[in-house]
Amino acid sequence: MPNATLASNLASHLVKSASVTRTEIPGTTLLKWFYDMALIREFEVRCMQAYQDKKIGGFCHVYIGQEAVAVGCVAALEHRDPIVTAYRDHGHALARGMHPKHCMAEMFGRIGGCAKGKGGSMHMFDKANNLYGGHGIVGAQCPLGAGLAFATKYEDEVIKGGKSDRVTMCFLGDGALNQGALHEAKNLAGLLDLPVIFVVENNGYSMGTAIERGTTMAHKIITKAMGYGMEGIEVDGMDVLNVYASMKDLCDRVRATSRPAFVDMRTYRYKGHSMSDPRKYRGREEEEQYEAEDPIGKLQKFIKDRKVATAAEIETIVDRVKVDVRDAVAWADASPAPGLEELYHDVYVEKWGPYTGTSLPEMLRESGVRSQE
Amino acid sequence: MSEEMRRDARIYLLGEEVAQYNGAYKVSRGMLDEFGPRRVIDMPISESGFAGMAIGSAMMGLRPIVEFMSWSFSLVAADPILNNAPKMLYMSGGQFGCPIVFRGNDGAGGQLGSTHSWCVEGLYSNVPGLKIAIPSNPYDAKGLMKTAIRDDDPVFFLESERLLSIKGEVPEEEYTIPFGKAAIRREGTDCTIVSWGRPVHFAMEAAETLAKEGISCEVIDGRTIRPMDWTTIFASVRKTNACVVVDQSWSFASPGSEVAAQVSEHCFDDLDHPVLRVHSDDVPAPYAQNLEQEMLPNPRKIIAAVKKVTYRA
């Protein structure tokens, strides 16, 4: 039965958090998470439309269904903690605080994009928000994640003579479980005591290949952490409260011990791998089962049950999301295509030959972020 | 490297056997003692992992030096060194650069067989976003290394195991050699020989022999492949009206072929003969000593090429 392990484990893997309980999370935080998750979903829906309208080219991988993961994980981090992810990255960019207009303009290949239209859907970067990409090659971000943790620890301890105080979060899909880069990164993180958390967004499929067809011990992938001497936890990623509570505890431990960790984050993508995927490798029944577990619906119910907001107030948030994303699309559409002078810009920091040096995108020019030192 | 590490705490060295073993080729001898294990770091045999890790740290502003025991081993790190380091600045729209130096032994010559004899300049010079330095002598090695470490872009620094034992004057004092500035190793009037790295020595040997036969060669040591010093090369060819390129990589789509193409394009009217290229033979590096010496761009091949372009054959 396709993906039986994933389905049967969904409800049974709630990690109970010791320090944070559901009732302790303030109402304003819950509403912010609701806005962020709804924003990601609406953004992705509009991306799919824009892709059909040929406003977006290349590959486009949407995050619908996985919103609780990015929002819950980012909430568990401090803003100074770096994050790095794979190519299904719009959700992480928005959750981290990138303005949707810059994210959408990047999708559209316009100069107003976070990377001036030179990165595209798979390569979202935001220096002001400590987002180190958006990486297109499966698993390639894992050694980079180890390197970010190496750098924070080196800065804090070797250069400043203090104590390591930042946690790096490195997201990957379950397809990356089988890439050597991940295993080498885990080994190095274990050897060097790097404060990095590898979060496997386990949506059950690497493109069209169900997880058990691609990796050993698919029912218990945290075994792939133990061999590298690191802690592994399993988290129900369809519930943002649970994601936050579990990840907050884990971040606290990693920050305190400077030891790496590994997370089997059980989630599901409602749409195909990319825009060209008809999803013939799985049944509608399976999809419906997960849609019934919808993370946004679940949070909405929790908000109502706890009387944090009324149905009308929730509707107001939903309306605001729609307006914000509509505005982002309009802004992106009005942003010009990059000028041809951009072709030879940002290839090298140094100006030489035909290369014209580098400069920051509009998104960062006002934010006080300095260009390459 | 040590002088630079004393200057800037953001610089660190990592690689296989660089610390406790004092370097597989003793290049980092004494550095662990001076800088300690936090800045001179032994790595397991895991090139893809530690190259990627160093790149991640460079994105955050550290300035790593990554030693590949041999550039041949960099092939298993192809994705991070080609897909991440040279493209990060571009893909991020100028947000994240990659100030990193990859260095190690490059090229054949020690009977190491096919897998350990790569001349990676043939592969890597194709990629925009990186720089390639390839010193031919101890003086240049220091000056170019300092420039590489201070550069804000990724630098591939190609050393040669066969040159590690040669002696030369290296001043104690501070100096740097800019990238993209070739050195004229020998002035001449009949033929320009363009080379870089170890084959510069073969070119000098050939020029010595040819001088005795009355053929005067100008030998240019490119020092860096990206950027290449076209100004010096073109000026020399315009003077000698003949050009031979000597490059230890394979000829097909190589930096040597690029020089031949550029010289043909820019100095067409000045050339008395088409540019000839002397490369390693288009075969895997053999183990047998005689075959390996035959394969390399040796003086005999260079002399034959120079005689041809000067119509003295």
Side-chain angles (χ1 to χ4, degrees), chain B residues 123-160:
Chain B
L123 294 176
Y124 298 157
S125 62
N126 191 239
V127 182
L130 54 81
K131 297 180 180 180
I132 298 181
I134 180 164
S136 68
N137 62 74
Y139 179 89
D140 282 10
K142 175 174 168 177
L144 291 171
M145 176 57 75
K146 280 180 169 270
T147 304
I149 293 170
R150 294 175 191 190
D151 202 295
D152 287 329
D153 293 306
V155 178
F156 288 27
F157 200 87
L158 311 187
E159 299 159 15
S160 162

Side-chain angles (χ1 to χ4, degrees), chain A residues 3 11 29 90 206 219 266 311 332 346:
Chain A
N3 211 27
T29 303
H90 319 156
S206 58
H219 63 289
R266 301 292 176 105
D346 303 320

Side-chain angles (χ1 to χ4, degrees), chain A residues 197-215:
Chain A
I197 303 175
F198 297 102
V199 180
V200 181
E201 296 193 60
N202 183 356
N203 63 26
Y205 295 91
S206 58
M207 206 166 157
T209 302
I211 182 167
E212 57 268 31
R213 291 176 57 219
T215 202

Side-chain angles (χ1 to χ4, degrees), chain B residues 67-220:
Chain B
E67 176 173 313
F68 291 123
M69 195 184 296
S70 160
W71 272 100
S72 297
F73 309 156
S74 74
L75 299 182
V76 297
D79 186 56
I81 69 173
L82 300 181
N83 241 342
N84 290 336
K87 297 179 182 172
M88 203 65 79
L89 186 70
Y90 202 73
M91 286 200 311
S92 68
Q95 295 188 62
F96 296 104
C98 196
I100 191 167
V101 178
F102 299 102
R103 47 159 291 269
N105 288 316
D106 175 67
Q111 286 190 272
L112 300 177
S114 294
T115 57
H116 286 55
S117 297
W118 273 89
C119 301
V120 294
E121 56 271 41
L123 294 176
Y124 298 157
S125 62
N126 191 239
V127 182
L130 54 81
K131 297 180 180 180
I132 298 181
I134 180 164
S136 68
N137 62 74
Y139 179 89
D140 282 10
K142 175 174 168 177
L144 291 171
M145 176 57 75
K146 280 180 169 270
T147 304
I149 293 170
R150 294 175 191 190
D151 202 295
D152 287 329
D153 293 306
V155 178
F156 288 27
F157 200 87
L158 311 187
E159 299 159 15
S160 162
E161 183 206 337
R162 309 307 295 171
L163 296 183
L164 284 177
S165 58
I166 68 166
K167 303 245 186 280
E169 280 294 316
V170 180
E172 288 287 335
E173 68 264 19
E174 173 85 14
Y175 67 92
T176 57
I177 297 172
F179 284 0
K181 288 275 176 264
I184 296 174
R185 298 293 176 206
R186 182 188 177 107
E187 293 198 16
T189 52
D190 297 333
C191 178
T192 299
I193 305 178
V194 183
S195 192
W196 43 80
R198 185 183 177 213
V200 169
H201 297 269
F202 304 147
M204 291 297 282
E205 206 179 315
E208 196 76 29
T209 306
L210 287 161
K212 289 174 190 149
E213 298 179 31
I215 304 173
S216 163
C217 294
E218 182 143 299
V219 178
I220 295 178

Side-chain angles (χ1 to χ4, degrees), chain B residues 191-195 242-246 275-278 302 305-306 309:
Chain B
C191 178
T192 299
I193 305 178
V194 183
S195 192
C243 183
V244 168
V245 189
V246 184
V275 180
L276 288 187
R277 291 164 293 156
V278 179
I302 300 168
V306 171
V309 298

Side-chain angles (χ1 to χ4, degrees), chain A residues 114-116 125-127 132 140 143 147 150 154 157 184 188 343 345-346 348-350 352 358-359 361 364 372-373, chain B residues 9 12 38-39 46 48-49 52-53 56-57 79 89-97 129-131 152-153 226-227:
Chain A
C114 65
K116 306 177 197 170
F125 292 82
D126 188 345
K127 197 167 189 170
Y132 288 77
F150 178 96
Y154 187 98
E157 296 183 353
E184 295 193 27
L188 292 172
L343 205 53
H345 202 56
D346 303 320
Y348 294 90
V349 173
E350 193 195 342
W352 64 274
T358 185
S359 59
L364 292 184
Q372 188 65 26
E373 287 164 18
Chain B
Y12 69 97
R38 296 298 296 271
R39 297 185 66 198
S46 182
S48 181
M53 185 179 79
S57 78
D79 186 56
L89 186 70
Y90 202 73
M91 286 200 311
S92 68
Q95 295 188 62
F96 296 104
L130 54 81
K131 297 180 180 180
D152 287 329
D153 293 306
R226 261 182 187 270

